[in-house]
Amino acid sequence: MEEHIRDSALDTSANHDAAAITVARGDGIGPEIMEQTLRLLDAAGARLRIEEIRVGATLYQAGHSSGIAPEAWETLRRNPVLLKAPITTPQGGGYKSLNVTIRKTLGLYANVRPVRAFAPFVPSAHPAMDLIIVRENEEDLYAGIEHQQTAEVVQCLKLVSRPGCERLIRYAFELARRAGRRKVTCMTKDNIMKLSDGLFHRVFDEVAAEYPELQSDHAIIDIGAARLAASPERFDVVVTLNLYGDILSDIVAEIAGSVGLGGSANVGDRVAMFEAIHGSAPDIAGQGKANPAGLMQAAGLMLTHLGQAEIAGRMGNALLRTLEDGIHTADLGHSSHTTRRVGTEAFTDAVIARLGASPRSLAPFPPGDNRGPVRVRTQALAKPKKQLVGVDVFLDWDASDRQANVLGEALQAVAGDSFQLKMISNRGVKVYPGGFPETFCTDHWRCRFVSRAASVSKDGDAMLQSQPLAREQIPELLMRIAAAGFDCIKTEHLYEFDGTRAYSLGQGE
């Protein structure tokens, strides 16, 4: 690990209020665009003290599976900010994403991507778009908890927590308020995933009520993504879960005109990471062709986070003026507004030369807010009463031509005095009792057992009148199932919280 102080503008001996940051130059075009971004920060008068760490390809090759050395973590924890250039993750098994590792290890729960169009200077079909995607960064399917359970079926667990939802959504509303935005839109798929996405939507509605000055609305993610692609100017701030946010971020960056212009923030309670949204582009590394604008935009977000928003605004407006003057890198394409095509260093020279200038036609960056990081605090809730009312037993079963009635009758025989078999489903479709022969079944079966004392409506489709179970009754049931020769691969206990069902009903249940 090495420490690098650039010169007087970034030296704490000359600036006692300098912010300590960590810099990682990355791989591919990373070192080139980082060098130019640091030049711009220096010229703009950013008050920074820089420590450098190495991450990426050389660390992967040295045997560090996440692309970072153990000693680098102390630097990251000591400094409140990481400015990171793109890195290259090797192909093949055994390598972990550095970004995901840093986000989860340091609790960087909010991924923030401002996206605006720079038309006509950078061509875009949506010249009025100017929005922010706020994406959950740690949970959802990106928890990466996967298992192969049978020869035919794998699972990926979707984990959503109330604290994770609340702090992200509060961050989105606080960010919208501070940035002078009008509206916050939530996007989920809670018409299908009623518990996980439903929790996110419910918390959104609760938090939105605390911000009456801001409009709020909700869209199902599929139609929401379509509307975002077709009419992005209808949106202002969009807050959503991890996977959806990943997809939406790339959609809006692409339709803005150039992925190369986008920067992003990854924000936690103690540390934040700022980076360009594009990759390491090894095919053009070392050729001086790369566009540094995305990392420059990320550096602007960093300065605002550090309470140096005025300097961020100067940098941003100089970048806009450079684009207006037609000084473009190769990735911006052939535009009627391009007057000079330049490389990485010459583009940076042009931006530095325009520090202090304002754009002539593009909307300038706002004056900025020097209050520093957006901070949020989640609310403590009373712990609900939790009651065990049943269990879903998952089986790997491939006998009797996969006839669900054969499996159902066998399981009824081992249910015992405490349980009744409520239903069996296959890939979420109820197949017993009353299934259809046309339903395709794999070797993966969910078998729902509930208390034999529970009552069910005549048609069997209404919710159970649940009866509590003792925890020790579950392993007793599993032992009987195993003794009958069945391969139990997983169980999920069924609970009620404060008397409210906390598990999904099977189709037709």
Side-chain angles (χ1 to χ4, degrees):
M1 182 173 22
E2 57 185 301
E3 183 178 310
H4 179 61
I5 308 298
R6 295 191 57 79
D7 57 28
S8 60
L10 304 181
D11 191 341
T12 51
S13 64
N15 293 278
H16 296 291
D17 61 344
I21 73 167
T22 304
V23 163
R25 294 177 180 257
D27 304 317
I29 62 172
E32 301 167 65
I33 62 174
M34 180 61 77
E35 181 61 29
Q36 300 310 314
T37 299
L38 293 176
R39 282 184 60 214
L40 176 59
L41 286 166
D42 193 351
R47 302 181 299 278
L48 303 172
R49 184 176 186 274
I50 294 173
E51 286 187 84
E52 291 196 20
I53 61 171
R54 292 184 178 180
V55 298
T58 58
L59 276 299
Y60 283 117
Q61 292 165 7
H64 300 288
S65 63
S66 296
I68 183 170
E71 60 268 20
W73 288 108
E74 288 307 310
T75 305
L76 293 177
R77 295 178 66 202
R78 180 168 59 249
N79 299 329
V81 157
L82 167 64
L83 180 62
K84 186 183 74 63
I87 64 104
T88 301
T89 303
Q91 297 295 313
Y95 297 107
K96 300 177 183 177
S97 164
L98 174 64
N99 272 8
V100 173
T101 299
I102 291 176
R103 289 168 181 170
K104 292 186 176 183
T105 303
L106 298 179
L108 310 185
Y109 64 88
N111 179 241
V112 183
R113 289 195 183 183
V115 182
R116 61 177 288 191
F118 302 109
F121 308 101
V122 179
S124 171
H126 306 283
M129 73 175 294
D130 181 4
L131 55 87
I132 303 173
I133 303 292
V134 181
R135 162 196 173 196
E136 197 284 318
N137 228 7
E138 298 180 287
E139 301 182 342
D140 192 19
L141 294 170
Y142 282 47
I145 304 174
E146 297 183 289
H147 308 88
Q148 179 163 358
Q149 297 184 322
T150 71
E152 296 179 353
V153 176
V154 297
Q155 74 165 12
C156 180
L157 293 181
K158 181 183 177 87
L159 298 178
V160 179
S161 72
R162 182 182 176 91
C165 295
E166 185 182 352
R167 64 180 178 174
L168 178 81
I169 292 165
R170 286 190 181 279
Y171 185 94
F173 275 94
E174 286 293 329
L175 180 65
R177 173 187 277 173
R178 188 178 290 193
R181 298 285 177 157
R182 313 175 314 278
K183 183 175 71 170
V184 182
T185 299
C186 172
M187 291 193 188
T188 72
K189 190 66 175 175
D190 66 339
N191 59 329
I192 302 298
M193 288 166 280
K194 295 179 171 59
L195 293 181
S196 54
D197 285 29
L199 174 62
F200 194 91
H201 188 177
R202 187 167 67 251
V203 173
F204 175 83
D205 288 343
E206 293 171 4
V207 173
E210 300 177 25
Y211 295 82
E213 76 277 19
L214 293 171
Q215 301 174 45
S216 62
D217 61 2
H218 173 267
I220 298 299
I221 186 64
D222 41 13
I223 187 61
R227 290 172 178 165
L228 193 60
S231 305
E233 63 278 358
R234 297 169 53 179
F235 297 90
D236 208 357
V237 176
V238 177
V239 62
T240 188
L241 295 103
N242 202 332
L243 175 62
Y244 310 145
D246 196 3
I247 296 169
L248 294 183
S249 296
D250 285 348
I251 289 174
V252 296
E254 183 68 24
I255 64 176
S258 175
V259 174
L261 294 174
S264 75
N266 298 270
V267 181
D269 292 332
R270 295 182 57 192
V271 180
M273 175 173 68
F274 299 85
E275 59 187 342
I277 66 173
H278 59 73
S280 59
D283 56 317
I284 61 169
Q287 301 176 36
K289 297 179 179 179
N291 185 351
L295 192 58
M296 290 176 176
Q297 297 252 55
L301 296 174
M302 175 191 74
L303 290 178
T304 299
H305 180 84
L306 291 170
Q308 300 182 36
E310 293 177 2
I311 300 173
R314 289 185 71 226
M315 287 171 44
N317 287 328
L319 175 60
L320 296 182
R321 183 62 175 267
T322 302
L323 295 175
E324 284 183 340
D325 288 347
I327 302 172
H328 298 164
T329 50
D331 63 302
L332 298 182
H334 296 283
S335 166
S336 59
H337 294 274
T338 300
T339 60
R340 183 155 60 99
R341 193 167 300 284
V342 296
T344 311
E345 186 173 357
F347 183 85
T348 306
D349 291 340
V351 177
I352 291 173
R354 288 160 177 77
L355 286 169
S358 297
R360 289 185 291 256
S361 58
L362 293 172
F365 280 84
D369 188 316
N370 286 322
R371 285 180 287 177
V374 174
R375 301 295 189 193
V376 298
R377 185 173 298 175
T378 57
Q379 298 178 348
L381 297 178
K383 193 169 184 177
K385 180 183 178 182
K386 179 180 178 181
Q387 180 171 283
L388 177 66
V389 296
V391 62
D392 280 346
V393 179
F394 292 78
L395 301 181
D396 180 347
W397 185 72
D398 194 26
S400 302
D401 296 324
R402 301 183 182 180
Q403 296 182 48
N405 63 311
V406 173
L407 177 60
E409 290 168 4
L411 291 176
Q412 290 280 20
V414 299
D417 296 334
S418 301
F419 290 93
Q420 58 177 311
L421 178 65
K422 176 70 165 55
M423 67 94 182
I424 300 174
S425 69
N426 196 290
R427 296 185 304 157
V429 180
K430 181 183 175 183
V431 293
Y432 176 87
F436 292 92
E438 291 84 2
T439 302
F440 173 76
C441 292
T442 69
D443 55 2
H444 187 277
W445 309 80
R446 179 184 63 162
C447 310
R448 174 159 293 175
F449 292 88
V450 299
S451 169
R452 189 171 289 279
S455 59
V456 188
S457 66
K458 279 187 178 181
D459 58 11
D461 290 334
M463 180 182 164
L464 291 167
Q465 295 298 312
S466 303
Q467 296 295 323
L469 291 165
R471 285 193 296 270
E472 59 268 20
Q473 292 176 286
I474 304 295
E476 292 170 357
L477 171 64
L478 297 178
M479 288 178 67
R480 292 194 297 271
I481 293 173
F486 291 103
D487 181 9
C488 174
I489 52 177
K490 177 188 175 183
T491 62
E492 289 288 348
H493 292 188
L494 308 179
Y495 294 106
E496 290 180 355
F497 288 85
D498 286 341
T500 299
R501 174 176 55 83
Y503 53 91
S504 62
L505 295 177
Q507 184 176 339
E509 186 178 352

